Structure formats: C-alpha cells, structure tokens
Amino acid sequence: MKFNDMKYEKLEVEDIIEKISSLNEKFNKAETKDEVLAVYKEYDEYSKYVQSMYHIAYIRNTIDTTDQYYSEQKEYWNNTFPLIQEASQKFEESLLNSKFRKDLELEWGNIMFLNMELSQKAFSPEIVPMLQEENKLTAEYQKLMASFQVEFDGKTLTMPQLFAYSQSPDKDIRKSAVEAISSWMNDRKLELDRIFDSLVKVRTEIAKELGYESFTQVGYYRMNRNSYDEKMVKRFREGVVKHIVPLTIKLKEQHAERIGVEKITAYDTFFLYPQGNPKPKGTPEEILAHGKRIYEELSEETKEFINFMIENDLFDVLSKPGKAVGGYCAEIPIYNAPFIFANFNGTVSDVNVLTHEVGHAFADYTSKNIYPTALRRYSFDIAEIHSMAMEFLTWPWMEGFFGEETETYYEMHLASALEMIPYGTMVDEFQHHIYEKPDITIDERNTLWLELEAKYRPWLHNEGIPFYEDGRLWQRQTHIYTSPFYYIDYCLSQIIALSFWALSQKSYSDAWEKYLRLTRLAGTRTFVDLIENADLPSPFVPDNLKLITDVAVEWLDKK
Ligand code: ZN
C-alpha cells in the first residue's frame, strides 16, 4: 500500500489502556496453552496497530510540519506514551509470571523473556520520583545545549552552522570557530557541572534503591545487555587500546601531513583533505536514482526490497518547504513497511542515508515474517550492525556517487570508522569510573578525562583551548548526560561492520551471505549469539581486533 493511502485512525489513550488491560485479564484467565497463545497473538496484533498509528502520525508530521492535525496528533502521542508503556509493562509482567511460561519459552525461545526480565530489573515503582528527577535534569541539559547561539562571521549561528566553519581550509577560521564553541561552553561550565553532579547523585540513588552496588548495573539493564557484562566490555576496551589506537595514531600522522600541520588540534579534526571532502556528483534526484540502482544490482533480496520501497512511496528524502530537519528510518508494522525520511543537500550525508538508513530499513523488511513481533526488536548494538555494515557492503557502487573521488571517499570512510572506536570506548570507560566512584570532585573528573584522552587519543593536542585543555570535552557528549552507557554499542557495531568490510575484501559473496543471515535473525538471538552464528570473530577477545587492523593496514598500504 502506498504511504499516502495508509489510513490514520485517531486513538484515545483511555481506549488503548482499556484494551491492553482487558487483554491482560483475558491472558491471566486463560486455562490452556492454546488459549494463552491466542490471547498473546491478539496483544501482538493490537500493539502493532497502535505503533503503526503512532508512526504514521509521526512521519506525516515531519513531512509537513505546518499540518495542524498531525502536529497535534504527534504531541498527543508524546504526552500519552508513558501511560501506554505502563499498561504494556503490566501485560509483560503477566507473561513473565504465567504458569504457561515454560510452554511459551518452548514455543518462542527464551530471549523475549530474558529481555523483559532485564527491563523489569531496571525498574520498581519506588524509583518513579527519582526517574522523574533524572528526566528533568536531562531535559535541562538538552535545553541548555539547544540554546547555543554565537555571533560569528557577522551572523548569529547555531552549533551545526558554526560547526561547518570548523572544516574551513583557512586555519584561522577553523581555529576561531572551535574557540567560539569552547568559550560558549566554558561560560556555562558551572551549570554543566551542577546538572551532571545531580545526575550522578540521582542515578546512584536509583541503583541503591533497586539493590545494586552502583549505577553501572542499572545502565547495563537499561541498554538491554543480555549477553555480555562489565568484564567482557573491559576486555573489548583492552583490544581497542592494543590494536585500534596504534592504527589511528598512524592515520592521524597521515592526516597531519596531508593538511600540512605538525600536530592535530581540536580545530583540525574535521578538516580532512586540503582539496575538501569528497562530495557526491549530480542532483539529489540523480543521487536517489543511483541508490535505487545499487540495491537492484546487489542481490535478489535487496532488489525486491527497494522496489517495494519505491512502489509504495516509502522514501521522502528530497528537501521541501515545511519538512522537519534531520533523517530517520521508522516502520509501519501493520503493512511491514519501513519508511525513510531525509533532507538531501548534495553532500556525503545523502549517501549515508542511502546506505546507513537503508541498512536499517532492509533489516526491518527482511525480518517481517518473524513472530512474535517482540523478536523483531533488538538493542542498538545489533541495529547499528545492520546499518554500519551496509555502509561498507555498498562500497562497490560508490563510484557512481563519487567518480574520481571514490578512493578518497573509501579512505575517509574507513578512517572515520576506525577513529570513532577509541573515542566511543573512552566515553564508555569514563562512565564506568564515574559511577564506580560517584563522589569524586569536579577536578578529579576532568583529570580523569584528560588521562583517558592520553590513553585513547594521544595524537590530539588541545593546549591553548580553554574548556578542552581543562578536560571538559566530555560535557559536549550528549549521551553522557542523557543515555548512560549507550556509547559502547556504537563501537561494538562498528567493529562488526568492519569485520564485514574485512571479509568483503577477501570474498564479497561470503560477506553478503553472512550479513543476510545475521539480518534475517533480527532479535531472535542475543548479540553474542548472532556474532557466533554468523561465524564472525568475537569483539570480546582482544586479539580478534587485530584481524581487522591487519586487513586495514594492508588496504591502506596498497594506496
Ligand atoms: Zn543507525
């Protein structure tokens, strides 16, 4: 069905809650396994329907923000979501406590139950006031950061606008752009410290109330870590220090040489090529048309998928007045329809939509027949494999975007994928220390960050830039404030994506086969099981990371 023909039905939150509660009652009264299965199926279908209505409203609102009706609908959903979640949680509780649980586990496997247990472990009614406090604080941080505005180059600029100047070939311009950002942050450091102090305090209280030693455990439960623990993540970090960091030092030396500086400072990090970063050729329409060609040629599966997306108008990627900013991939589950939203602007980010977001959409499409729907939901560490690996698996078609700049694009993509890993790992290690010792002072915290910089990014020189040289760069990392322990997910997915890249250098068809197998399994396995099932090296064995860096070094040396 075409997106415009999909019918939106306005729902009232009271009706949704009543429906879920009545299903819950029916579930608890069921006396046979078949009855229980039948009620669950009804719940599954109803949840899909509710989610579809929410996503249709959300998508239509972002396509045309001036449409009053969908703007109101989206707002209504945002306000009522926690109430619906509460009702669903009660239903899940019944599922966990059902006398038929053993039978259900036999039928569906136990991962659904494992995940539900994890989310229950991070919650109890006693912590509700603390959660509200936590939300209030994260909202304060977001509001503070959103208020960013500075006078620069004769204009009033937002953070992304100013960021563009940090890529200028003129060293003085990019230096003053970075200084403008850091001095704005520096003027607000007391506020940033106050919010973070309170966040660490309330999160530690939440952990104590739930009966855990530190917030780290709660953070792991919140992130749905169902197959690896702190010790394994520590081993992963060791592998990063041992194998990825030395390679990134080498890459940064090349970077410095290329742009003609002696050492890389904060204001050089985004200026990568003296001739400018590679840009896709052609109009946004031509870029989109090449995207279609890629998936038609890649495999039978992607061909079917891309035709489904195009026939049903499930792409809205060209810029139009009234559209919201940004890009995303969302699904309308009752039609098994992924939807991709973006604003093409003729830069490399358009290509990213056609590889990264399409990776997410393809994963949705390819797992559409899995039941229960809960098995199609996965944590971020799995979701980002689908997208980041697709970025690499579409390399053979990049020439159609970048022409003579293709080699430069490859190099930029590979280097940025590798360089993001030490940074993300550092963000992760920082948070482990913070929640282990929640009482350390502000200075100790910043010193800790500087020590980690020296360990993970020894090539970076921030002397002379206030705020950065004081060890406060972490205060710009939203996730540290709003989504604790999120960052390592990106790093793990990136490592797996790079494993697919390394494999594709040897045998493309082998890499694609494995990718397809992993994607089709969706959330029916844990992260660790999926990797094992796809026969990929575990990132939790430090020396396995060498398998990737060896191929990368070989590839880079050939250039
Ligand atoms: Zn993504």
Side-chain angles (χ1 to χ4, degrees), residues 185-186 189-190 192-193 442-443 446 449-450 467-476:
M185 297 287 294
N186 209 44
K189 64 183 178 191
L190 295 179
L192 290 163
D193 284 336
I442 292 167
D443 282 345
N446 298 335
W449 180 261
L450 289 177
F467 194 75
Y468 290 9
E469 79 175 348
D470 299 341
R472 288 181 169 276
L473 188 83
W474 62 271
Q475 294 185 313
R476 277 190 64 188

Side-chain angles (χ1 to χ4, degrees), residues 459-472:
W459 46 267
L460 184 62
H461 296 272
N462 280 332
E463 298 87 16
I465 310 173
F467 194 75
Y468 290 9
E469 79 175 348
D470 299 341
R472 288 181 169 276

